Amino acid sequence: MLSILAAGSIFFPGLFLLSKRFLKHAPGLKWSEKDAVIVSSRLVSSVQAIMASSAGYIIACSCEDIIEDQHWLTSSYILFAVPYFVYDIYAMFLCHWYKLQVKDHEEEREAKPMRSAISGYLRREFLMVLHHVVMVTVCFPVSVFWRQGKGDYFQGVMFLAELSTPSVCLGKILIQYKQQHTLLHKVNGALMLVTFFICRVLLFPYLYYAYGRYASIPFYMVPLSVPWQCNAGAALLMAPQVYWFSLICRGAFRLFTGASRHKAAPGSTDSEPKTSLLPPANGYSPRETDSH
């Protein structure tokens, strides 16, 4: 267990540092510290998402009995991924810090002290930070110890929620470089909208449906047939997904309707829509606030 935790603790920060170093020093690139940090953090998130989704697919396909069947990859990947959520809290702060410095420079203000930056970061990213903290302090012990080896299939399906993350990260990068007007941004936004809805919003209804089929009970009876802790956990995990999805829908509506209005007004001097589908703060706010 400790060796797997240690491997994750080395892999994710190490990948971030290697990527940042490469982007800063590779011939022909030599990006700024800010750009290297932001893109590297998106890269690590995407790699983790691909690994989690792959593990989830293998686990789900290997479990014929959705309650009793076990797969060694389930607990192993949970242990490996726990350090990622700790690392990502710091990586998100670094992105916030560098964007803040650029904003202060453009507005000709003095750079904000670290304490003020941390306070602003926690206010801005409170829900995302809380999500990561809950993943480490609640979901980790529940998944590894409380389950007692039951329901690896459900855990594997939950890993598949990460399928939407690469498109979220790509959207953040496109916004960072002010590419909201491009076809790639719109196609990526539509893909993220679909994958987020299927893999995150429909995730828990599907798990209830799957258990209902397994237990031969109607779907509406499932919440009454499982332990209350399962219902509470599902509600707590699903609530932020529904909230974020509502913001994504608002952002998508503004992006595509804004593009239509832009086309309908040839006298406009703007070269890109005023709103974006995937802003770089946490990937879910409909406002374009960080496209410095």
Side-chain angles (χ1 to χ4, degrees):
M1 179 182 294
L2 291 178
S3 62
I4 300 175
L5 282 170
S9 300
I10 295 171
F11 178 79
F12 294 111
L15 179 60
F16 171 78
L17 293 174
L18 286 174
S19 174
K20 182 166 73 77
R21 181 177 180 83
F22 173 79
L23 293 174
K24 287 180 61 179
H25 300 290
L29 291 178
K30 296 187 177 180
W31 288 10
S32 67
E33 179 80 10
K34 177 184 79 81
D35 289 338
V37 165
I38 292 173
V39 173
S40 296
S41 70
R42 312 306 184 211
L43 173 64
V44 175
S45 295
S46 297
V47 169
Q48 193 282 140
I50 293 171
M51 294 174 67
S53 300
S54 300
Y57 178 79
I58 293 170
I59 294 165
C61 291
S62 300
C63 296
E64 296 182 4
D65 187 311
I66 64 174
I67 298 297
E68 299 296 335
D69 284 358
Q70 298 182 10
H71 194 286
W72 66 269
L73 196 53
T74 308
S75 295
S76 296
Y77 191 77
I78 292 172
L79 290 167
F80 182 74
V82 162
Y84 164 78
F85 292 98
V86 179
Y87 143 83
D88 198 45
I89 292 175
Y90 178 67
M92 288 191 298
F93 171 73
L94 281 182
C95 294
H96 173 80
W97 171 257
Y98 281 109
K99 291 173 188 175
L100 197 64
Q101 303 311 304
V102 172
K103 181 177 180 180
D104 289 342
H105 176 73
E106 289 179 349
E107 296 179 359
E108 297 182 353
R109 298 176 181 174
E110 294 183 1
K112 292 181 175 61
M114 182 64 70
R115 183 174 180 179
S116 176
I118 294 174
S119 176
Y121 163 69
L122 293 177
R123 286 196 304 269
R124 179 181 175 81
E125 304 289 356
F126 173 76
L127 190 57
M128 186 63 70
V129 172
L130 178 63
H131 172 266
H132 281 35
V133 170
V134 169
M135 292 296 291
V136 174
T137 60
V138 179
C139 294
F140 163 62
V142 167
S143 298
V144 174
F145 303 110
W146 184 76
R147 289 189 310 115
Q148 297 181 340
K150 304 289 186 179
D152 279 19
Y153 172 82
F154 294 99
Q155 191 66 59
V157 173
M158 291 182 70
F159 285 162
L160 291 172
E162 293 291 342
L163 276 172
S164 63
T165 299
S167 56
V168 172
C169 293
L170 177 58
K172 293 176 181 180
I173 293 173
L174 291 172
I175 289 173
Q176 182 65 29
Y177 293 98
K178 300 183 179 180
Q179 298 300 307
Q180 300 94 318
H181 60 287
T182 63
L183 177 62
L184 176 60
H185 178 70
K186 294 177 175 61
V187 171
N188 180 73
L191 177 63
M192 195 273 282
L193 191 69
V194 173
T195 56
F196 196 97
F197 177 69
I198 294 175
C199 298
R200 290 181 181 262
V201 176
L202 293 184
L203 173 66
F204 292 100
Y206 169 76
L207 294 178
Y208 276 63
Y209 166 77
Y211 181 79
R213 288 191 59 186
Y214 174 83
S216 299
I217 58 177
F219 175 78
Y220 65 87
M221 290 294 296
V222 174
L224 303 177
S225 305
V226 299
W228 69 268
Q229 296 94 330
C230 295
N231 292 322
L236 289 173
L237 289 174
M238 186 175 179
Q241 311 303 329
V242 173
Y243 169 71
W244 285 325
F245 182 70
S246 69
L247 297 183
I248 291 171
C249 290
R250 287 169 54 193
F253 177 78
R254 294 180 183 181
L255 173 64
F256 290 107
T257 57
S260 299
R261 286 195 300 266
H262 175 66
K263 291 180 180 179
S268 173
T269 58
D270 295 333
S271 60
E272 59 188 47
K274 294 298 184 183
T275 56
S276 64
L277 181 57
L278 302 172
N282 55 26
Y284 308 116
S285 169
R287 298 170 299 168
E288 181 183 337
T289 56
D290 292 297
S291 54
H292 302 305

